[in-house]
Structures are given as C-alpha cells and as structure tokens.
Amino acid sequence: MLAKLYPNIIENVSEWNPQLFREVKGRLTPKTITIVSLASIVGQFLLYLYFQGILPKTEGNYSRYCTAIAEPELSYSSNFRICNQDLLGNLQIIKELWWLDLFTTMSIMGVFILLVVGSYMLMADVSKENSKNTLNFIRLTPQSAFTIFGGKILGVPILVYLFGVLAMPLHLMAGIKANVSFPLIIGFYLALAVSCFFFYSACLLFSLVSSGLGNFQAWLGSMAIFFFLCTMTGAIMEANKFSSTSIDWIILFNPIIFLPYLVKSTFLSPDTIGYLSIETLNNLNWYGNFWWQNSIVSLFLIISNYAIWTFWLWQGIKRRFHNPSDTILTKYHSYLISACFIVFNVGFSLQEINSYSSPNEKLIGLQVFNFFFFSLLIIALTPHRQSLQDWSRFRHENSSHNRLIHELLLGEKSPSPLAIAVNVGIVTLYTIPTVLIFPFKDNKTSILMGLLLSATITIIYATVFQLLLMLKSQKRTLIASGVVSSLIFSPFLALIISPENHHNYPFIWLFSAFPLVATTEISIFSTMGILLAHITAIVSINYQFNKVLNKAGISETKILLETN
C-alpha cells in the first residue's frame, strides 16, 4: 500500500535502513492502519464525552470546574466549588481547568501507551526472531547493530506511533485552550521521545540477555515498566516534597516529571488545579543545587540523564548482538559506568540535612541502591565456563605472566572478581569523602567500617558466583544464582525468625549486604574482626577458584595437544 502511494519515500527508506523498511512493510497494511486509526479516534471521542459528562449541568451543583466558593460547612471537598449562573443564565465554569484536565489525562495515557505497549511489541518481536532463529541470520548481514535495532525501534511500534500521532491534534488543542505554553508542550514531546528511546533500548538489551525466557520475557518486561510508571506517577502526582534520596533520581526516568512545568504555565492557582504542583520540583536538588526550578534547565537535565544511560545500554546491545556468548559489558566500560552511577547516586542521596529521614537512613538507602547496582554488574561482567576455559588455556600456553594483571582488569574472557573489586573500590572511594563531610550523628569510624564491610561482602558474592559458574552442570547459572541468593537472604531470614527483637543480634547484620545497619551498635574491635573474616573468606574462595581454573586450563591444553 505504502509503496504505491509513496514510491520514492519507500525506496529511500529501504536504502537507508533495510530493517526499518522490513518492519514498516510488514505492519502498515490497510487493515492495521484502519483498525488503529479507528481505535485512536473512537478512544479520543469517548474520552471527550467522558469529560463533557463531568461538567456541571445545573446551578447549585458542586464541581471542581465551578468558580464560586461555597460555605465551609456546605462544601464536602476543598477541591469542589458551588456552581452559580451569570446574568445571562450561563454557568460560571473555569474552562481552562477543564481543558487542562483533558490535556493532562491524555499526556499520562500517552506515556503509558507508548512505553508499555511499545516495549511489549519490541520484546515480543525479538523473542519471535530468536525462536525462529532469524536473529542469527540478521547477524550475518553487514549492517551495524545500531542500524538493525534502530530500525526495530522505529518500525516495530509503528502502529503505536500512528495511534499517538492521530491523538496529537486533540492533545494540542486541549493544551492551547488551557493556556499551556506551546514551547513547553514541544519540550514534553521531546522528553517523551527520548524516554521512549531509553526504555526501548533497555527492552532490547533485556531481550538479548534473557532469550531463555521465551515469550514470557515480553510480559515480564512490559509489566515491570507498567509497575514503574504507576509507582513513579503516583509519587509525582501526590508528593508535596521529594525524599532527598536515590528514589528522586529514579523518578527522573518518568517523562511525566516534566508535566508540572506545563501545568504551571497556565497560571491557574495550584489550589484550583490540585495536582502536579511545581513546588515539588522546586525542592528537588542535586548536590544541594536546585537545578529543577527552571523548565529549560530541567528539560536539559532530564534529556541528559536519559542520554547517558541510553549510551551505556547501547554498549551492551552492540556487544551481545555481535557475540551472544560474551559478557554484557567490557571491564573497561564497567569502570566508567560505576563512576557515572555513584556520581548520580550520591548527588541525590546525601544532599540535605533537614529532611524527613535521618542522615544515617540516607546512607543506608544509598547502600541499598549500590547493592542492586553491583548485583547487575556481577551478572553483566561474569564470564561462563567455556570463556574461562579458553582464557585459562591461553594462559597456560603462554608462560609469561607479565600481562596477567592487565588481563584480569581488562581482558574479555578473564575472571571477573578483580574487576568487580575495582568497581566496588571506585564506588567506595567516592563515598568516603562524603561520609567525612556530611554531618552524621553517629561515629564516622563505625560508618566507614560499614562501608568497608559492604565492599568486602559484595566481593565475596562476586567470587562465589564466578566459582560456581565453573561447574560442569548445564544448570550452573541457576545453581550459582540460587547459592548467592541464599547467602544474601540468609541473614535476613535469621533476623525474621529470631524469637526476640532483631536489635538483640546486631552482629548478624555484619554478614548481610547492609552491615551499616549495625556497625554503629557494635564495638570497633568486633567490626574489625568481622572485616578480617570477610577478607579471609575472599582469599580462601579465590584460592579455590584459582585451583579449579588452573585444572580446567591444563585439561583443555592436554586435550588440544593429544588431538594434534
């Protein structure tokens, strides 16, 4: 159909990006275009009718769109006002507020449809390509990963884009009628487009990594995005103040965060609107600076945040696409990612003294985010048995050990514990000056010991995970994940089932992923003893791992020599 209507455009698209041409050609058929167009138009019509239905019809009714202030004892809600008529008999209604509600509703619905439905379509498409083994065929083409997956991002959700484009006239009209600043509407569209690229990139990487989940990965990924949007949108809509923790950073990944600027531009009273207060964003700060008080600066920061992490996602996409057996990240990239992560995390966590949470709680929250980051990093950097065997054989065939440290730090197939330790060191060394500067109530020496214990326990998890991936079992990944999960959750389980208050057993926390909870309650000498035990465990596990690795490398070398 499109080829007949626009032959030159289609020919240019096919030359520029064959993957995009393939996706668009398969999805934009007369039937699908008709169905999506009708769904968009009918949906807008029904939404418009709904908002028409909630307008007050007679004098004396209560509505948020009326202008008269009722007596306190007569009004059942501060957001609802009584309806009066003017001299001509027309109800006095705040039409701008009605249009703003329609505009905001369409904006939020558009975010959910684009991100959730589009992400599901992308993940389902990659899963289908994997099941039919056509993705391996695409790998043989001379096209780059960016060209192929860029074509998928533009082409697979093309019907979702069509649905949104058809809704833009009503959305723009509602915004203009509500006196929303037109440049800010364009800024919201830009933030939404960048957020789509970020989430779609994350979905592509998730699809490449979790191909074993089959069709379930599309449901899992899209439901995770839906839950994230619901949680963060609720926080943006209702919160009177940000938490001054790492959660503030996570909220920035929701494009709805930009809507308060559009609401403010209408010049309607915040009490009249009742949601998306700009005061909330005015209190958001990073390293003590209130950057989000200006809409242009805020848009730049939101887009920059998306751009930085989209860039790192694409490093993993390109790597896994060209060689599915490689680790998700290179060790060199992991160091840069750790540096980016801790700069962002500390900036949003330890920034304000007078807040709803104490400084110590902020630091524990910081460590929780660090722990989840390291968990993902361990998965992304740890090579599997075959890669380690190849690397070990190469080491035995080349007796020179001058490049051993270089290989462990930057090698493609070398073991990951040393690289994980470097990443932990980057994060810990950046956090220590913050601890020294920030006015914590407790002994800073105990807090520093807690940071060191967090670092060592993370290295223990990484080393155990790497050791278990050397098992000959086909289910070694499942076994390694299960054992490490048991090590992580066992201390918490022991605290839960303990018959007395968990504060009576603070030493258990020192063997958990969050020892900072208890280091201030235990003597420094006891903490140093636990730290020594952690170091001993790291040395012992690495010694055992080195024995297993050497044995595997020698065995592989002998097999090759016998074959030759």
Side-chain angles (χ1 to χ4, degrees):
M1 177 182 178
L2 290 176
K4 294 179 180 179
L5 294 176
Y6 308 104
N8 293 332
I9 296 177
I10 297 301
E11 183 179 350
N12 291 334
V13 169
S14 63
E15 292 179 358
W16 172 64
N17 194 320
Q19 186 64 38
L20 174 60
F21 172 73
R22 174 192 170 199
E23 302 294 347
V24 171
K25 182 180 178 181
R27 285 170 172 77
L28 285 185
T29 63
K31 180 180 178 181
T32 57
I33 292 175
T34 302
I35 293 174
V36 171
S37 300
L38 286 175
S40 180
I41 294 170
V42 171
Q44 294 174 64
F45 180 70
L46 292 176
L47 183 64
Y48 183 81
L49 286 182
Y50 168 77
F51 273 91
Q52 282 288 338
I54 62 177
L55 280 172
K57 301 298 187 295
T58 59
E59 185 179 14
N61 287 345
Y62 288 93
S63 172
R64 64 182 269 105
Y65 304 116
C66 293
T67 58
I69 300 177
E71 295 295 330
E73 63 272 11
L74 298 178
S75 178
Y76 58 87
S77 173
S78 60
N79 291 328
F80 285 75
R81 293 166 290 276
I82 195 168
C83 299
N84 289 335
Q85 293 181 344
D86 58 17
L87 296 177
L88 298 177
N90 299 317
L91 289 177
Q92 295 178 321
I93 297 174
I94 309 175
K95 295 181 180 179
E96 292 81 6
L97 180 60
W98 184 84
W99 283 109
L100 178 63
D101 284 354
L102 177 59
F103 173 82
T104 305
T105 302
M106 292 188 69
S107 300
I108 295 174
M109 290 177 64
V111 170
F112 274 80
I113 291 171
L114 279 170
L115 296 185
V116 177
V117 179
S119 297
Y120 175 83
M121 294 177 69
L122 269 172
M123 287 183 284
D125 179 79
V126 176
S127 176
K128 183 180 178 181
E129 297 267 19
N130 271 320
S131 63
K132 292 184 176 181
N133 209 28
T134 53
L135 199 60
N136 288 329
F137 175 76
I138 295 175
R139 286 188 176 97
L140 300 176
T141 63
Q143 301 176 71
S144 65
F146 185 81
T147 300
I148 292 171
F149 287 113
K152 284 192 173 295
I153 288 176
L154 293 174
V156 172
I158 189 70
L159 295 175
V160 180
Y161 299 152
L162 175 62
F163 186 95
V165 168
L166 291 175
M168 284 181 65
L170 178 59
H171 186 253
L172 284 170
M173 184 178 72
I176 293 171
K177 290 279 189 179
N179 294 326
V180 177
S181 170
F182 183 75
L184 288 181
I185 296 177
I186 301 302
F188 173 71
Y189 288 160
L190 180 59
L192 181 56
V194 176
S195 71
C196 285
F197 190 57
F198 168 79
F199 280 99
Y200 292 169
S201 300
C203 289
L204 288 174
L205 181 59
F206 176 71
S207 299
L208 292 174
V209 172
S210 62
S211 57
L213 295 176
N215 296 330
F216 180 66
Q217 65 182 186
W219 287 104
L220 180 62
S222 58
M223 286 301 100
I225 294 174
F226 178 77
F227 176 77
F228 166 79
L229 290 176
C230 287
T231 306
M232 296 300 107
T233 300
I236 295 169
M237 295 285 289
E238 302 297 335
N240 295 321
K241 181 180 177 62
F242 280 94
S243 62
S244 298
T245 65
S246 302
I247 297 175
D248 296 350
W249 177 28
I250 302 301
I251 293 177
L252 288 181
F253 286 96
N254 187 345
I256 294 173
I257 192 70
F258 193 69
L259 278 180
Y261 299 106
L262 281 70
V263 171
K264 180 191 175 185
S265 68
T266 63
F267 294 103
L268 291 170
S269 168
D271 294 332
T272 301
I273 299 171
Y275 57 81
L276 293 175
S277 173
I278 193 64
E279 294 302 321
T280 305
L281 275 176
N282 287 341
N283 292 323
L284 178 62
N285 62 85
W286 188 56
Y287 286 104
N289 295 297
F290 297 89
W291 302 100
W292 283 266
Q293 293 183 349
N294 182 280
S295 59
I296 303 301
V297 175
S298 176
L299 180 62
F300 173 77
L301 292 174
I302 291 170
I303 292 176
S304 298
N305 183 52
Y306 279 127
I308 290 171
W309 297 105
T310 303
F311 172 80
W312 291 122
L313 287 172
W314 273 93
Q315 303 310 306
I317 290 173
K318 290 187 289 186
R319 185 170 172 82
R320 290 292 290 201
F321 173 71
H322 292 297
N323 194 344
S325 63
D326 277 351
T327 55
I328 301 174
L329 294 172
T330 64
K331 293 182 174 65
Y332 174 71
H333 282 160
S334 73
Y335 306 144
L336 299 178
I337 292 174
S338 292
C340 290
F341 171 82
I342 195 58
V343 168
F344 277 90
N345 200 13
V346 168
F348 283 101
S349 298
L350 305 177
Q351 54 178 314
E352 186 175 307
I353 300 175
N354 298 319
S355 64
Y356 297 116
S357 58
S358 67
N360 290 8
E361 291 174 349
K362 288 175 177 292
L363 189 57
I364 293 171
L366 175 74
Q367 288 298 295
V368 170
F369 272 74
N370 287 350
F371 170 73
F372 283 109
F373 171 74
F374 287 133
S375 299
L376 295 175
L377 204 61
I378 289 171
I379 296 172
L381 284 180
T382 306
H384 284 251
R385 178 181 174 84
Q386 186 58 53
S387 298
L388 290 174
Q389 282 183 324
D390 295 340
W391 180 83
S392 183
R393 186 185 72 242
F394 170 81
R395 189 176 61 158
H396 281 284
E397 291 177 348
N398 297 270
S399 57
S400 174
H401 296 280
N402 294 331
R403 292 180 55 84
L404 178 60
I405 299 298
H406 180 271
E407 280 292 317
L408 291 173
L409 290 174
L410 299 172
E412 293 288 325
K413 298 182 178 181
S414 60
S416 64
L418 182 59
I420 296 295
V422 172
N423 282 286
V424 171
I426 291 171
V427 171
T428 304
L429 288 175
Y430 189 90
T431 309
I432 287 175
T434 306
V435 173
L436 297 176
I437 296 172
F438 207 77
F440 289 104
K441 297 178 182 178
D442 295 315
N443 187 351
K444 292 188 178 183
T445 304
S446 299
I447 295 176
L448 292 175
M449 292 300 296
L451 292 177
L452 292 177
L453 286 172
S454 297
T456 53
I457 198 69
T458 301
I459 297 172
I460 290 174
Y461 295 151
T463 310
V464 170
F465 189 73
Q466 180 68 93
L467 174 62
L468 293 174
L469 285 183
M470 287 298 295
L471 295 174
K472 295 182 179 180
S473 172
Q474 293 295 327
K475 298 182 179 180
R476 53 182 171 268
T477 302
L478 182 62
I479 295 172
S481 301
V483 171
V484 173
S485 298
S486 299
L487 291 175
I488 294 171
F489 291 107
S490 293
F492 303 110
L493 183 61
L495 290 168
I496 291 172
I497 64 177
S498 61
E500 301 180 21
N501 193 311
H502 67 271
H503 289 292
N504 295 331
Y505 305 97
F507 68 92
I508 297 179
W509 285 103
L510 301 186
F511 294 94
S512 72
F514 311 113
L516 270 168
V517 175
T519 51
T520 56
E521 301 178 16
I522 299 176
S523 67
I524 190 66
F525 297 104
S526 299
T527 306
M528 291 180 65
I530 301 297
L531 179 62
L532 182 61
H534 283 188
I535 295 173
T536 303
I538 292 172
V539 173
S540 301
I541 299 170
N542 274 282
Y543 175 76
Q544 180 63 28
F545 172 67
N546 191 49
K547 285 177 60 178
V548 173
L549 188 62
N550 285 335
K551 184 177 178 180
I554 293 172
S555 300
E556 285 291 307
T557 304
K558 287 182 177 179
I559 292 173
L560 287 175
L561 292 174
E562 291 173 359
T563 304
N564 295 331

